[in-house]
Amino acid sequence: MIPFDYRRAADPAEAVATVAGRPDAVFLGGGTNLVDHLKLGVAAPGLLVDVSRLPLDEVTRTADGGLHIGAAVRNSDLAAHPEVREQYPVLARALLAGASGQLRNTATTAGNLLQRTRCPYFQDVTTPCNKREPGTGCTALGGWTRSHAVLGASPHCIAVHPSDLAVALLALDAVVHTRGPDGERSLPLDELYRLPGDAPERDTVLAHGELITAVELPPPGPRTRRSGYRKVRDRASYAFALVSVAAALDLDAAGGTVREVRLALGGVAHRPWRAARAEEALHGAPATEDAFRAAAEAELAEAEPQDGNAFKVPLARNTLVAVLRDLTEGPGGAPSTAEEAR
């Protein structure tokens, strides 16, 4: 047993001050990721500051009609929220694909966004890992690479980010609100995450002691309603994505031209991957399978797979095309997630 201190924060200000005041302190939310790492020896904090009971567990409307999602909202509650199911189906689908019901009942919004990689070498403390111990090397290079990155990797790390929720939120242009030692700030979700570069131990741009307090979604519209998520995994019961695609699409009145599109990929990079090249290729393009495929090819042109995961490149291309094809069928795109949420 590795001893540690535990403290339950009374409010966000206390939580931030407590963690910021100790280099070995971390926030504890639902614990579905951190507790695993404590058991494995991957993490050994000296102090856990419990933020799971802070008043950050509500979903409310913003002044402009968007959604304000508290950091402590449970994944199951968010997936079942009627406005999420009806106005942001990509989000509900990603949450329902993300974990078992038991985990969704415990996992929080902020914790899901900040979960760490499931790379087997990161989780095995007997192997070198730059993400776990900077400067020790990356065992995955030349090792088992089936689940690893094909985009944005570096010689120091080829691990992927595991969150399904983050991929969906990226396609929705979500904004993250934080509170830290230097005050409050808001940043687009796309700016929260880092590529590994030469510092793969840093997953995000958050400072030590900076707490995510909420995630904000833009007002619903044609693009958010015509949205969907598809996750390809080794088993349907419960597994992390080999490849996932979140898409939000707006077509012209005739349904033949792409007016606006947002695309994000999961399971392919150290961070949720915004498919900006594909978006650019599709803007104003015909809503056809040929156009979708050309956009996917443009996005994946610089992919650098390992020996064990080259299949991810055609898999990502085909999944992206399939999601966009589904969203162009019928006036509302993909069917409702109401049944899945039950």
Side-chain angles (χ1 to χ4, degrees):
M1 175 68 71
I2 300 175
F4 56 84
D5 298 327
Y6 170 88
R7 188 174 304 171
R8 184 181 298 174
D11 54 53
E14 179 186 331
V16 168
T18 303
V19 172
R22 280 186 59 167
D24 63 345
V26 297
F27 297 117
L28 172 67
T32 57
N33 191 205
L34 178 59
V35 172
D36 283 345
H37 289 168
L38 292 173
K39 294 176 180 177
L40 293 168
V42 173
L47 170 63
L48 300 185
V49 178
D50 191 341
V51 296
S52 64
R53 295 170 175 82
L54 296 182
L56 303 172
D57 59 351
E58 294 186 357
V59 179
T60 57
R61 277 286 180 193
T62 61
D64 64 355
L67 278 190
H68 182 276
I69 302 166
V73 172
R74 305 292 171 172
N75 287 181
S76 54
D77 293 333
L78 188 58
H81 195 282
E83 291 187 60
V84 171
R85 295 203 317 264
E86 295 169 12
Q87 307 291 346
Y88 307 91
V90 62
L91 181 54
R93 289 181 178 277
L95 286 162
L96 293 170
S100 67
Q102 291 171 312
L103 287 173
R104 292 199 304 267
N105 288 340
T106 302
T108 64
T109 298
N112 189 303
L113 296 180
L114 297 178
Q115 62 183 302
R116 308 209 69 192
T117 182
R118 262 47 178 207
C119 173
Y121 302 110
F122 172 75
Q123 295 185 315
D124 181 356
V125 296
T126 68
T127 62
C129 172
N130 287 322
K131 181 175 282 296
R132 191 180 65 249
E133 294 183 64
T136 60
C138 176
T139 308
L141 287 168
W144 184 84
T145 59
R146 176 175 171 78
S147 66
H148 288 76
V150 296
L151 292 167
S154 83
H156 303 282
C157 183
I158 59 171
V160 299
H161 195 275
S163 174
D164 295 276
L165 172 62
V167 179
L169 290 175
L170 190 57
L172 290 172
D173 292 331
V175 172
V176 175
H177 299 295
T178 73
R179 180 168 186 157
D182 297 325
E184 298 179 351
R185 65 168 170 161
S186 301
L187 65 160
L189 183 72
D190 200 23
E191 297 178 13
L192 174 66
Y193 297 104
R194 299 181 65 258
L195 288 177
D198 59 1
E201 72 277 9
R202 294 182 56 219
D203 296 337
T204 73
V205 299
L206 297 181
H208 180 68
E210 190 170 5
L211 176 70
I212 292 179
T213 57
V215 175
E216 189 170 318
L217 300 182
R223 176 165 54 83
T224 66
R225 296 189 188 99
R226 190 187 292 268
S227 63
Y229 184 78
R230 182 172 295 192
K231 178 178 182 177
V232 183
R233 45 193 161 174
D234 281 326
R235 63 185 189 277
S237 59
Y238 173 52
F240 295 99
L242 291 170
V243 165
S244 65
V245 173
L249 182 67
D250 182 23
L251 303 176
D252 66 358
T257 301
V258 177
R259 287 199 297 207
E260 194 175 10
V261 63
R262 296 289 186 273
L263 298 168
L265 306 178
V268 297
H270 187 263
R271 50 167 294 160
W273 186 267
R274 182 67 175 266
R277 286 194 180 97
E279 291 176 358
E280 183 178 0
L282 286 173
H283 184 73
T288 64
E289 185 158 339
D290 286 344
F292 300 156
R293 190 166 298 277
E297 295 283 5
E299 188 61 46
L300 296 163
E302 296 185 7
E304 297 181 349
Q306 304 296 315
D307 289 342
N309 66 1
F311 71 93
K312 280 195 174 188
V313 178
L315 182 62
R317 179 195 64 220
N318 294 341
T319 305
L320 191 152
V321 170
V323 171
L324 289 172
R325 184 178 60 231
D326 288 349
L327 292 178
T328 59
E329 295 176 354
S336 169
T337 59
E339 285 299 320
E340 295 173 14
R342 295 194 187 106

